[in-house]
Amino acid sequence: MTIGTDDGLATYNFAYLDEQTKRMIRRAILKGIAIPGYQVPFASREMPMPYGWGTGGVQVTASIIGPDDVLKVIDQGADDTTNAVSIRAFFAKVADVETTTETAKASIIQTRHRIPEEKLKDGQILVYQVPIPEPLRFLEPRETETRKMHALAEYGLMHVKLYEDIAKNGHIATTYAYPVKVEDRYVMDPSPTPKFDNPKMHMSDALQLFGAGREKRIYAVPPHTKVVSLDFEDYPFEIQTFEEPCAMCGAQGVYLDEVILDDRGGRMFVCSDTDYCEKRREDGHRGHLAGDAMEAAE
Amino acid sequence: MAVTGQVVEGGFGDPVFASQSVFRAVMDAMARPGTVQAIATDAMPPAPLNAAAAAVVLALADSDTPLWLDAELAKSEAVRGWLAFHTGAPLAGTPSDAVFALAANPAAVPPLTGFALGTQEYPDRSTTLIVQVESLTGGPVLTLTGPGIETTQAIAPRPLPGHFEVQWREINGLYPRGLDLILAAPDAVICLPRTARIGNEEL
């Protein structure tokens, strides 16, 4: 298939990558699914965007996507930030696929650092962009050592790290990239999602794929797979809670972003998941700073 | 070997999209062990290679992946020629060298522990074994549990390699080492990743 020939643009293979690269990545994805939480090395390619912009996730998406897929891309929950817009435009151009911002309509959702609030369904695939796939890397810089620790399922060091958190701060202070154990075997980095999202990974109906381009690793969590956040009996895992609901749509029990309004301490909290927030406002939900609510108050 | 029509013809009509759709079916099958995933393909391999098994190999194998063939396939010059022409995969001398292994006769599959099982450090360096079966239904019922399965998943492929349940438990016991199995009827596949367990035993 050729794309863009009529408007003078360069002609790429479908979904940008060449077929041999796709086969290599597809084989890595299959082994990743067969060994949940294990990081499969792969020969990451240079992509037409810098490392740190989601080249791992882009390569995974490019290797699984087909002409019938509908793609959604989010960056910190938002469909309309630079990274999300660029990647969506990239696949619209090189794979000619339909894109959407609606979680329920997407067959593939590529994400940077969030899981949508709406529960994912059977058949959907969530592709994570991962910067540092090795959860032990900041504790042990040597790959030879971390590999051995995974081989022996020797994760004491991670528990020491969480214990030190408690000793210093009185609670586990890790709030994002909170380590999880997959199917009672591999300790895995859930990518820098807020720990708020960790419970959504557990027994999800959707297939979860993780791509780290710079670090050249792919890993996976199949549907209906145990994903347990590490903790202690007397310091159980807890997610973030928010005192006030979303200022725009009034949603509670969702992850909120803080937005500074002025230089006098004014602030508001709004849904990080823009699609979820828009849907709720369409359905008539109003937070205390939503336009209609303010007009009514005036 | 003479290049004949039998060797050259019968590949994917549209390799890019055919590979993608076959891969997605295999990925879904691997992510949901025991579910039957249809393989719609225009691949027409020489006998005794079946269409689904051939399509999986065409989609995933290439010059980087040594391919092992069982005796029934290896003795067919047409099969060897067809796979070489369409994939470029070198043949593996022994099962333990194979990235992909292809068996037409389930009864003659060598012991599963003889394939590449990976290492404790690199469990991914292991064989994906593709076994052709007559049918994915009608055989003795096996109940699967494990990642990708919400409660249990019943499968009944026939025929299976000898002492399959015993052999598969042995593979389970090696986790994270192991091998991953694709059972290929002519038009569909069932996958058993190494995490799939037979029976409702303790995980």
Side-chain angles (χ1 to χ4, degrees), chain A residues 102-121:
Chain A
E102 292 179 51
T103 301
K105 279 193 184 163
S107 58
I108 299 174
I109 302 170
Q110 181 169 327
T111 175
R112 174 175 175 274
H113 312 352
R114 268 316 305 282
I115 299 174
E117 303 292 353
E118 194 173 331
K119 192 174 182 298
L120 299 181
K121 297 173 299 196

Side-chain angles (χ1 to χ4, degrees), chain B residues 53-144:
Chain B
V56 172
V57 174
L58 253 47
L60 294 169
D62 58 28
S63 54
D64 293 334
T65 59
L67 173 67
W68 180 86
L69 303 176
D70 74 350
E72 198 170 325
L73 292 169
K75 76 181 179 199
S76 162
E77 198 174 325
V79 167
R80 281 185 282 122
W82 191 82
L83 288 169
F85 180 80
H86 290 286
T87 71
L91 290 184
T94 64
S96 64
D97 295 328
V99 171
F100 291 100
L102 196 47
N105 179 6
V109 172
L112 297 184
T113 49
F115 291 96
L117 302 174
T119 63
Q120 202 69 15
E121 280 81 11
Y122 292 95
D124 57 302
R125 296 178 181 174
S126 46
T127 304
T128 301
L129 171 62
I130 304 156
V131 177
Q132 295 189 177
V133 295
E134 281 170 33
S135 171
L136 298 175
T137 56
V141 176
L142 303 175
T143 306
L144 303 181

Side-chain angles (χ1 to χ4, degrees), chain A residues 261-279:
Chain A
L261 296 176
D262 51 39
D263 59 0
R264 297 187 302 275
R267 64 190 59 198
M268 68 192 282
F269 287 89
V270 293
C271 288
S272 126
D273 185 334
T274 52
D275 173 56
Y276 182 82
C277 198
E278 277 166 24
K279 281 272 156 47

Side-chain angles (χ1 to χ4, degrees), chain A residues 1 20 23 26-27 30-31 33-36 38 64-66 69 122-123 125 147 151 183 186 223-225, chain B residues 17 20 23-24 27 31-32 59-60 62 64-65 120-124 126-128 147-148 175-176 180 194-195:
Chain A
M1 172 160 175
Q20 189 173 8
R23 278 193 298 271
R26 287 166 181 168
R27 293 192 295 261
L30 292 180
K31 287 299 172 193
I33 291 170
I35 316 166
Y38 166 74
I64 64 175
I65 203 164
D69 278 310
D122 184 33
I125 302 167
R147 188 158 288 280
E183 210 54 35
Y186 283 101
H224 311 299
T225 297
Chain B
F17 294 110
Q20 190 272 338
F23 161 73
R24 276 290 277 275
M27 184 176 82
R32 295 167 183 80
L60 294 169
D62 58 28
D64 293 334
T65 59
Q120 202 69 15
E121 280 81 11
Y122 292 95
D124 57 302
S126 46
T127 304
T128 301
Y175 190 80
D180 309 304
R194 63 196 69 189
T195 49

Side-chain angles (χ1 to χ4, degrees), chain A residues 148-195:
Chain A
K148 198 166 284 172
M149 289 154 86
H150 285 295
L152 301 173
E154 174 50 70
Y155 296 123
L157 197 57
M158 186 57 90
H159 276 105
V160 170
K161 191 249 177 200
L162 296 176
Y163 168 77
E164 284 180 349
D165 257 13
I166 296 169
K168 274 188 205 155
N169 307 302
H171 62 278
I172 298 177
T174 306
T175 53
Y176 66 95
Y178 191 104
V180 294
K181 193 170 231 185
V182 181
E183 210 54 35
D184 301 323
R185 179 57 179 81
Y186 283 101
V187 165
M188 184 186 95
D189 179 2
S191 86
T193 51
K195 65 178 180 176

Side-chain angles (χ1 to χ4, degrees), chain A residues 88-293:
Chain A
R88 207 162 52 232
F90 175 74
F91 280 110
K93 180 188 264 185
V94 300
D96 200 22
V97 290
E98 190 185 335
T99 60
T100 183
T101 58
E102 292 179 51
T103 301
K105 279 193 184 163
S107 58
I108 299 174
I109 302 170
Q110 181 169 327
T111 175
R112 174 175 175 274
H113 312 352
R114 268 316 305 282
I115 299 174
E117 303 292 353
E118 194 173 331
K119 192 174 182 298
L120 299 181
K121 297 173 299 196
D122 184 33
Q124 287 185 308
I125 302 167
L126 189 58
V127 178
Y128 295 77
Q129 302 170 197
V130 183
I132 309 283
E134 177 51 73
L136 303 165
R137 184 61 70 232
F138 291 107
L139 308 172
E140 170 51 70
R142 288 167 296 182
E143 169 68 12
T144 47
E145 294 304 303
T146 53
R147 188 158 288 280
K148 198 166 284 172
M149 289 154 86
H150 285 295
L152 301 173
E154 174 50 70
Y155 296 123
L157 197 57
M158 186 57 90
H159 276 105
V160 170
K161 191 249 177 200
L162 296 176
Y163 168 77
E164 284 180 349
D165 257 13
I166 296 169
K168 274 188 205 155
N169 307 302
H171 62 278
I172 298 177
T174 306
T175 53
Y176 66 95
Y178 191 104
V180 294
K181 193 170 231 185
V182 181
E183 210 54 35
D184 301 323
R185 179 57 179 81
Y186 283 101
V187 165
M188 184 186 95
D189 179 2
S191 86
T193 51
K195 65 178 180 176
F196 181 88
D197 285 338
N198 279 19
K200 295 181 199 162
M201 303 179 109
H202 177 65
M203 296 291 171
S204 170
D205 288 336
L207 169 63
Q208 301 172 80
L209 302 174
F210 300 78
R214 181 184 49 216
E215 303 293 322
K216 302 176 171 55
R217 296 290 185 274
I218 283 171
Y219 51 106
V221 175
H224 311 299
T225 297
K226 272 195 265 181
V227 179
V228 178
S229 303
L230 299 181
D231 62 358
F232 298 98
E233 271 175 31
D234 48 347
Y235 285 90
F237 173 77
E238 286 172 346
I239 60 171
Q240 291 100 331
T241 54
F242 298 89
E243 282 169 13
E244 45 186 289
C246 169
M248 299 301 287
C249 76
Q252 289 178 314
V254 297
Y255 194 75
L256 303 178
D257 286 337
E258 182 180 358
V259 179
I260 306 291
L261 296 176
D262 51 39
D263 59 0
R264 297 187 302 275
R267 64 190 59 198
M268 68 192 282
F269 287 89
V270 293
C271 288
S272 126
D273 185 334
T274 52
D275 173 56
Y276 182 82
C277 198
E278 277 166 24
K279 281 272 156 47
R280 277 182 56 85
R281 276 179 279 149
E282 274 169 27
D283 293 345
H285 296 280
R286 288 289 178 275
H288 72 282
L289 289 181
D292 300 357

